[in-house]
Amino acid sequence: GIQVEQSPPDLILQEGANSTLRCNFSDSVNNLQWFHQNPWGQLINLFYIPSGTKQNGRLSATTVATERYSLLYISSSQTTDSGVYFCAVRLNSGTYKYIFGTGTRLKVLA
Amino acid sequence: GAGVSQSPSNKVTEKGKDVELRCDPISGHTALYWYRQSLGQGLEFLIYFQGNSAPDKSGLPSDRFSAERTGGSVSTLTIQRTQQEDSAVYLCASSPFGGEAFFGQGTRLTVV
């Protein structure tokens, strides 16, 4: 089955720093989402980005589907950015379920 | 409703008992997903419903797990004869067909 790997697995930043999170997938996909799971466990939608680049405030994402990766950029990080970031991909064939990546655990220090 | 609603928020059950977890998707969403997240782990796919099509049950871990979706809306995940390894957060999501998925707040199941 498809493999969805995220890097780095863990990241510690000082408040105000920038970071890039990566999502690699092993098969062709027709959709990709980025989520932030906050410390209370809620999954927050960040981006719905099958291809191209999108920006939302301090966050932006780029998906290059032909090269099978997506990047999530966090600029001027804040302590509220702490949590786990997941990418999830939907395959180009067969079922339309989402397969989740391994996650990046981010801690932003004040 | 405005978002995906799951109930109960928390459930403590004795080993061997059956439990039912409920998911109310966003109105109009034809696709519904169940995932399981053990402590500190990622999301494990359980089952996917799309409209009136046969569900994708490929992620159900054993025959103790089953799910149904009535009238293309509300879904119930049933776990029979619960075991301690079933303890986890069970997350439900819904989406338009092929569209963006939105998650509920989850049900935390503890089997004692």
Side-chain angles (χ1 to χ4, degrees):
Chain A
I2 187 171
Q3 303 298 312
V4 186
E5 299 288 336
Q6 291 185 241
S7 59
D10 296 279
L11 186 59
I12 299 175
L13 298 174
Q14 284 297 136
E15 200 168 27
N18 303 327
S19 63
T20 301
L21 282 57
R22 187 176 181 100
C23 172
N24 289 335
F25 39 96
S26 61
D27 207 342
S28 177
V29 301
N30 67 19
N31 225 325
L32 187 144
Q33 287 189 236
W34 281 97
F35 296 91
H36 174 214
Q37 188 168 43
N38 64 24
W40 296 271
Q42 179 69 45
L43 279 163
I44 309 298
N45 287 40
L46 297 178
F47 294 100
Y48 174 69
I49 184 166
S51 64
T53 297
K54 291 186 177 180
Q55 180 152 8
N56 185 2
R58 296 180 297 103
L59 302 182
S60 64
T62 295
T63 296
V64 185
T66 53
E67 297 186 19
R68 300 184 182 174
Y69 73 89
S70 183
L71 302 174
L72 177 69
Y73 306 95
I74 304 174
S75 65
S76 304
S77 58
Q78 301 176 356
T79 56
T80 52
D81 295 332
S82 296
V84 184
Y85 290 80
F86 289 104
C87 66
V89 301
R90 178 182 276 145
L91 295 176
N92 237 346
S93 62
T95 184
Y96 276 73
K97 67 191 179 193
Y98 275 101
I99 303 299
F100 275 75
T102 48
T104 292
R105 187 174 301 275
L106 173 64
K107 188 173 180 62
V108 181
L109 304 176
Chain B
V4 179
S5 178
Q6 292 188 243
S7 60
S9 297
N10 287 282
K11 175 74 176 177
V12 180
T13 189
E14 292 181 352
K15 178 181 172 181
K17 295 288 179 72
D18 298 351
V19 295
E20 287 188 351
L21 312 180
R22 178 187 169 102
C23 174
D24 280 276
I26 293 172
S27 178
H29 280 188
T30 56
L32 187 145
Y33 318 71
W34 283 99
Y35 290 83
R36 178 170 72 173
Q37 188 175 32
S38 300
L39 188 63
Q41 302 299 309
L43 275 78
E44 174 190 7
F45 168 76
L46 296 177
I47 188 168
Y48 165 75
F49 295 91
Q50 169 53 45
N52 295 321
S53 302
D56 177 353
K57 303 180 182 180
S58 61
L60 295 179
S62 77
D63 58 9
R64 297 187 295 105
F65 287 73
S66 63
E68 63 177 22
R69 188 178 185 193
T70 54
S73 181
V74 171
S75 177
T76 302
L77 178 68
T78 301
I79 308 173
Q80 296 179 310
R81 305 181 302 282
T82 51
Q83 304 295 313
Q84 287 188 328
E85 60 263 29
D86 299 334
S87 295
V89 176
Y90 289 81
L91 291 155
C92 174
S94 72
S95 76
F97 177 62
E100 184 175 5
F102 294 86
F103 278 81
Q105 83 282 8
T107 294
R108 182 175 300 277
L109 175 67
T110 303
V111 182
V112 299

